[in-house]
Amino acid sequence: MALSDRHIDLRRDQHSDEVLAHGGDAEAHSILQRTGFIHVIRQHEHYHRAPAGLDQVAEDSLATKAVAALRSAGYWVACDEPFDTDQRINHYLPLGAQVAALADNLRAAETTQDAAAILTELTAAHDGVLAALTQVLDSAAEFFETLDQGFDRHTAATVRKLARHDLADVAAQLHRLRNKLADRHEDHPARSPCPSEVAAHEREASVHCPCPITTLPPRLPAPAPARRL
């Protein structure tokens, strides 16, 4: 990850008077969205802006909250003086990161049974991730319907299509993949269990297992715990 991805510029634009945030990586974008900013994607750039309809006091408060959240997660933030703050807030592991942990489990799965069990967390009919996502989409559709405007009812119909057709197709395909893995009963050829028996001629005194060295993708460091002020 480039060092520049840890830098965010959050200022009131001198031409449009909008509060805009530029820079940052995907995690920074998530933090901005969770504090209320809107992600704008253009052909040659993307940035975040404060929602429409806020007065200046509300915009300043939103921007200050974003600065505190970003700095709590270890980002370097350049900002206008009204947004600057020494406040730090707790940075909790979001729900999406917990679901993404299934990817790490799949990378470590040693058998097709292990992989099938992990995919079951996605495809379980009653309480799998996809079943829960369907419920969320249904509730979002109900919310738009109760707003009771013509275009809101159209939006509700679109959301229901996502839940009942598009997401249902994804769920059906993943369910088939899960079942195929469950039927195979095979060990993964490159992920055999570690025997934990180190040969006497091993060079490193600190070695704990005889498994060959593998090249793993770099992992982001965990954010430092936030300080309460």
Side-chain angles (χ1 to χ4, degrees):
M1 180 182 62
L3 184 61
S4 59
D5 289 338
R6 304 297 295 179
H7 289 222
I8 296 95
D9 192 83
L10 203 165
R11 302 184 187 277
R12 186 177 295 278
D13 186 79
Q14 61 179 342
H15 302 294
S16 67
D17 203 39
E18 291 181 298
V19 176
L20 305 178
H22 292 88
D25 57 10
E27 182 185 3
H29 299 168
S30 292
I31 292 172
L32 285 165
Q33 290 157 25
R34 282 190 166 86
T35 54
F37 277 76
I38 294 174
H39 196 188
V40 179
I41 302 175
R42 304 295 186 192
Q43 183 175 359
H44 300 296
E45 66 171 343
H46 64 97
Y47 55 91
H48 290 77
R49 63 168 175 81
L54 300 182
D55 60 26
Q56 183 171 338
V57 173
E59 287 180 337
D60 288 357
S61 177
L62 185 76
T64 302
K65 180 181 177 182
V67 170
L70 288 164
R71 287 176 176 170
S72 296
Y75 289 92
W76 186 87
V77 184
C79 63
D80 290 341
E81 185 176 353
F83 310 154
D84 202 6
T85 178
D86 291 329
Q87 182 182 2
R88 298 292 182 269
I89 61 177
N90 288 329
H91 186 62
Y92 296 104
L93 185 69
L95 180 60
Q98 298 177 48
V99 176
L102 296 175
D104 290 331
N105 294 340
L106 276 170
R107 293 186 188 102
E110 296 177 351
T111 69
T112 56
Q113 299 296 298
D114 292 340
I118 295 163
L119 289 180
T120 300
E121 294 300 320
L122 296 178
T123 62
H126 175 64
D127 53 7
V129 172
L130 293 173
L133 182 53
T134 299
Q135 294 183 47
V136 172
L137 291 174
D138 282 341
S139 296
E142 292 172 6
F143 181 86
F144 277 104
E145 285 172 343
T146 54
L147 292 176
D148 204 28
Q149 298 291 330
F151 60 87
D152 291 324
R153 289 190 288 273
H154 174 74
T155 300
T158 300
V159 174
R160 289 196 187 280
K161 177 181 177 295
L162 287 174
R164 300 303 180 191
H165 184 268
D166 299 337
L167 184 59
D169 285 346
V170 172
Q173 292 184 53
L174 284 174
H175 188 73
R176 285 194 291 270
L177 289 175
R178 179 263 174 199
N179 288 347
K180 287 180 179 179
L181 287 171
D183 281 337
R184 291 181 65 168
H185 303 281
E186 299 175 15
D187 293 335
H188 193 290
R191 301 177 187 174
S192 57
C194 175
S196 300
E197 297 176 359
V198 182
H201 63 271
E202 181 62 53
R203 294 181 60 186
E204 287 88 356
S206 61
V207 72
H208 295 292
C209 75
C211 299
I213 296 173
T214 57
T215 302
L216 298 176
R219 306 288 294 180
L220 294 179
R227 297 185 295 106
R228 286 184 178 274
L229 297 182

